[in-house]
Amino acid sequence: MSDGKNTVLAKVPSGASTGAHEALELRDGEKTRFLGKGVQKAVLNVNNIIAPAVRGKWKPEQQKKLDAFLLELDGTENKSTLGANAILGVSLAAARLAAVQKGVPLWKHLQSLFGKGTSLPRPMMNVLNGGKHADSGLAIQEFMIFPNLGNFSDNLRAGAETFQHLKKILQKRGESTAVGDEGGVAPRLPKVADAFDVILEAITVAGYEGKVELAIDAAASEFYGPDNGAPEGKYLIDGQTLSAQELTDFYRELVAKYPIVSIEDSHAEDDFDGFADMQEKLGERLQLVGDDLLVTNKKRLEMGIEKKLCNAILIKVNQIGTLSETFETMHLAKKHDFGTVISHRSGETSDDFIADLAVGTDAGQIKTGSLSRSERIAKYNQLLRIEEQL
Ligand code: PGA
Ligand code: ZN
């Protein structure tokens, strides 16, 4: 996006384990070109429909007006006319251009739009990948370390050192240390508990026992029901077939044994009884995060609050498709004391926008992968730069 003097870029990510209720990511579907994953239609929508409609009419600092206009131009609930990928690129680029025009860092501009304070987020680092993000054979998608040393740079260092020790331990055992989609290792381990054991060993060897906690993203829609080899209404994990309540018990046992403080998508995205059971039994003690469950969508969050399905929300800008709607969802979450975790996607880009977003919205937490792969490290590096500025 350009105002004639300044030119800015915004990049749009993509997920492997997308929620069924996310805004539509427009792909061409032409099987002979990029296996159907091309985005020529979305690009044409930006160039031929959005650009002429927006050019000269909106100043970038009018973010709300611009986003409302984009919604109107699309005209559908899930952004299926233009594609959420087409719309989001414009929405994020406008915010970046406004910051450049004002001569302020992006996080500061986002703070003025959002209207709350700023803080450096505590990082959740996905050091061991499973589920759809790897071939590790583990049902749970993300095994994260969650350092709690105080400031951001100390947390980052603890994460990096723990990750390096984790690789060394696996190497010694003759296990694979090749990384999965989000930069964590992906060894073939028989059971979920084996992953926690080796991560805890790495934390101890690194010298951070008691200072680095654990978090998981089960992404349970991916091991639920006939589509995933389980019977109707059941979950398949560690070779066992479990009901929703038995799955809650499975987590309860893990939490009793390991220092897990946050569980994301414990149940499948439309298994509301499963989520409610989880919130009732473990919601007092743990952060329970809705990702595929809530898809950064204000209406889904309203439903989640009313039905008491969880107590925190994952925030992914491309699940909803505009910055202003992301803010509305976050305002609602904060009003109801829900935790907010800004998140990357498994198919992430080198754009570090979400680092500024986490700071400018005072989100408190960020989930942006392991301590490898430059598309993950880009966000951590930007947070280090912001820490210096603050
Ligand atoms: P995705 O994974 O980007 O593949 O959806 C991230 C997550 O589930 O949090
Ligand atoms: Zn998730």
Side-chain angles (χ1 to χ4, degrees), residues 15-17 133 141-142 217 264 291 314 316 345-346 367:
S17 65
H133 292 172
Q141 180 177 282
E142 302 174 15
D217 177 6
E264 177 183 330
D291 170 19
L314 203 77
K316 291 167 166 168
R345 298 306 305 243
S346 52
K367 179 175 108 156

Side-chain angles (χ1 to χ4, degrees), residues 54-358:
V54 163
R55 195 173 291 136
K57 278 201 206 123
W58 308 95
K59 296 199 182 87
E61 83 262 20
Q62 297 173 312
Q63 187 74 42
K64 243 190 186 165
K65 271 195 180 172
L66 172 69
D67 289 340
F69 179 72
L70 291 171
L71 292 192
E72 206 176 293
L73 197 62
D74 178 85
T76 65
E77 184 81 17
N78 68 344
K79 302 184 177 65
S80 52
T81 312
L82 299 171
N85 42 349
I87 292 171
L88 182 67
V90 176
S91 182
L92 298 185
R96 196 165 255 151
L97 187 56
V100 171
Q101 288 175 340
K102 280 161 68 179
V104 300
L106 179 58
W107 59 265
K108 205 167 215 172
H109 173 59
L110 295 176
Q111 181 204 3
S112 73
L113 288 179
F114 191 71
K116 299 243 190 258
T118 54
S119 62
L120 265 298
R122 185 179 165 196
M124 262 179 199
M125 299 149 152
N126 182 9
V127 293
L128 200 149
N129 298 180
K132 272 213 167 160
H133 292 172
D135 305 315
S136 58
L138 294 165
I140 286 184
Q141 180 177 282
E142 302 174 15
F143 295 84
M144 295 177 279
I145 51 174
F146 197 22
N148 197 16
L149 280 89
N151 68 34
F152 177 76
S153 41
D154 288 343
N155 282 339
L156 186 62
R157 178 179 157 191
E161 291 176 0
T162 302
F163 180 59
Q164 293 306 323
H165 281 292
L166 177 61
K167 290 211 309 196
K168 275 191 208 294
I169 293 166
L170 290 169
Q171 237 155 17
K172 262 195 213 150
R173 289 192 197 168
E175 298 276 3
S176 160
T177 56
V179 298
D181 284 356
E182 297 192 346
V185 290
R188 286 206 72 88
L189 299 173
K191 293 243 157 76
V192 161
D194 299 323
F196 290 120
D197 285 334
V198 69
I199 293 170
L200 271 193
E201 189 182 333
I203 291 171
T204 305
V205 176
Y208 292 109
E209 209 176 348
K211 293 181 190 141
V212 172
E213 296 176 305
L214 302 175
I216 56 171
D217 177 6
S221 298
E222 309 296 340
F223 56 91
Y224 177 72
D227 287 352
N228 299 295
E232 191 70 44
K234 304 268 185 191
Y235 295 86
L236 189 60
I237 185 164
D238 280 0
Q240 299 167 269
T241 298
L242 303 181
S243 69
Q245 297 209 352
E246 286 165 343
L247 184 61
T248 301
D249 292 336
F250 177 87
Y251 293 124
R252 189 152 48 181
E253 281 168 32
L254 285 177
V255 168
K257 196 166 167 214
Y258 301 101
I260 299 165
V261 294
S262 178
I263 300 181
E264 177 183 330
D265 282 346
S266 62
H267 290 74
E269 58 208 349
D270 290 318
D271 182 3
F272 300 152
D273 292 343
F275 273 104
D277 184 55
M278 186 79 181
Q279 171 63 24
E280 193 190 321
K281 291 177 182 157
L282 294 172
E284 288 285 314
R285 291 164 52 194
L286 296 179
Q287 172 170 269
L288 300 177
V289 187
D291 170 19
D292 293 347
L293 172 69
L294 303 177
V295 291
T296 317
N297 182 309
K298 198 176 159 198
K299 285 187 188 149
R300 291 280 292 189
L301 176 58
E302 275 163 1
M303 183 266 306
I305 291 166
E306 197 210 297
K307 292 187 193 293
K308 295 194 171 65
L309 301 184
C310 55
N311 57 31
I313 182 169
L314 203 77
I315 298 293
K316 291 167 166 168
V317 279
N318 84 320
Q319 280 183 327
I320 190 67
T322 64
L323 187 59
S324 300
E325 288 168 288
T326 305
F327 283 176
E328 278 177 37
T329 303
M330 289 185 74
H331 278 298
L332 180 68
K334 282 175 183 278
K335 194 172 142 200
H336 290 270
D337 287 327
F338 264 48
T340 49
V341 186
I342 301 289
S343 173
H344 65 162
R345 298 306 305 243
S346 52
E348 188 53 55
T349 75
S350 56
D351 198 329
D352 55 14
F353 192 104
I354 62 166
D356 289 71
L357 182 65

